Amino acid sequence: MQDGVLSRDAGLQPAAAPRRPGVRTWLWGPAFVAAIAYVDPGNVAANLTAGARYGYLLVWVLVGANVMALLVQYLSAKTGLVTGSSLPELLGRRLRRGPRLAYWAQAELVAAATDLAEVLGGAIALNILFGLPLVWGGLIVGVVSMLVLAIQTRRGQRPFEFVVMGLLLIITVGFMAGLFVSDVSWPAAASGLVPRFAGTESVLLAAGMLGATVMPHAIYVHSALARDRHGHQPHELPRLLRATRWDVLASMIVAGAVNIAMLLLAAASLQGVGGTDSIEGAHAAISGTLGSVIGTLFAVGLLASGLASTSVGCFAGATIMAGLLHVRVPMLARRALTLIPALVILATGVNPTWALVMSQVVLSLGIPFALAPLVRLSSDRALMGDFTNPRGLQVVAWVVVGLVVALNVALIGLTLTGGG
């Protein structure tokens, strides 16, 4: 089955006609859509919790995770451009039926955890801004995300990118505004660049921060986004890969700055303040400390984060299903189905901030299953030809995989022994 047909059957709309990349396509492209995964509500919960509880201690986690993300997202986009296939499609062709179904099951669990975090975050934002009950807020987030996905289905990828990048701009302003009026201790922030922990709970939180930053669904979807935007153009690959490097670099700088700003804001304004164990409490503390304008901007940023990330997350889930199962599920139907678990959790009264942080731990456990195959495939000369990863890059990439696996092993051990 051809890749374009497969994408269309799954409710994805490939780009109509790839264009020769210029300066504009270098800076405004697929990487900015994938970068939404790095500033979603799960990031908000994990980063605010880290700053409020441990101050500047875990700054190094965000910096390291963002450097990892820079490498990972470039490898994903490069794989899609060189092979003309998404990462899930490549895996779907190589795995036998049993392993393929098992792999899809864990990827679908990751997608469900992603969607849970994003809908919860949007619902919390609507509750903060308008006092809406969480269930109604989650439903509204789901409906609006359907409208955003309808743009991609009917108009194509480029208009979808513009909408998502507009939301990214709102997110950036909303989450960084407070940084300019808070009393950040820059020497303490610099000391936070030294890797260290402060007890077992900080390890659990670091794993959640990693899961919120290097997100598995972004690894899967970026290969499809880059392929669908530029198409499979072997003769243009050097130019396309240069453009992709700039695209990824710019998007990761934006995402990294927003994440670090959230942690610094919490460390400067929320540490030692009571009632910050939830996003709602953190918002109240931010409003009380920095003013209602900053608090409102924060809530608007959170809402934009939920709307954008749940749309991109659903797109990623459809990409995963199409590549691994070859199942034709319309995008909007998938959106309606994946909304149900989040609404159930909201209706049962589970602490939404706790659910957000735990969803990030699930995501962290799913990273190696996306990352290891990506490194393996992008280093396969038979598949990548002259664009295979150089030896040095392969070593660095496998070191990243090893670090992620080691952190997750520690996370599982702490969880089983009750250390977290």
Side-chain angles (χ1 to χ4, degrees), residues 52 117 164 173 203 223 299-300 385 410 414:
V164 172
V173 173
V203 179
S223 55
V300 170
L414 290 171

Side-chain angles (χ1 to χ4, degrees), residues 21 25 28 48 50 68 70 80 102 105 180 219 294-295 297 308 348-349 392-393 405:
T25 59
W28 303 104
L48 290 181
M68 292 182 190
L70 182 65
F180 296 99
I219 300 174
I294 298 299
L297 288 173
T348 56
L393 183 59
V405 171

Side-chain angles (χ1 to χ4, degrees), residues 62 200 258 299:
L62 290 180
T200 55
V258 172

Side-chain angles (χ1 to χ4, degrees), residues 32 35 66 70 176 246-260:
F32 279 85
N66 212 65
L70 182 65
M176 295 193 71
W246 283 107
D247 191 24
V248 172
L249 177 63
S251 65
M252 290 299 103
I253 287 175
V254 172
V258 172
N259 277 313
I260 292 172

Side-chain angles (χ1 to χ4, degrees), residues 304-374:
S305 172
L307 294 175
S309 56
T310 194
S311 302
V312 174
C314 188
F315 185 95
T319 299
I320 292 169
M321 181 175 285
L324 290 171
L325 297 187
H326 313 296
V327 173
R328 303 175 182 86
V329 177
M331 186 86 73
L332 298 184
R334 180 183 173 87
R335 164 72 281 177
L337 290 173
T338 57
L339 183 62
I340 294 173
L343 294 179
V344 169
I345 287 181
L346 289 173
T348 56
V350 173
N351 184 316
T353 302
W354 179 86
L356 274 172
V357 174
M358 288 301 101
S359 72
Q360 305 312 298
V361 174
V362 173
L363 292 176
S364 184
L365 295 175
I367 295 171
F369 294 99
L371 189 53
L374 174 65

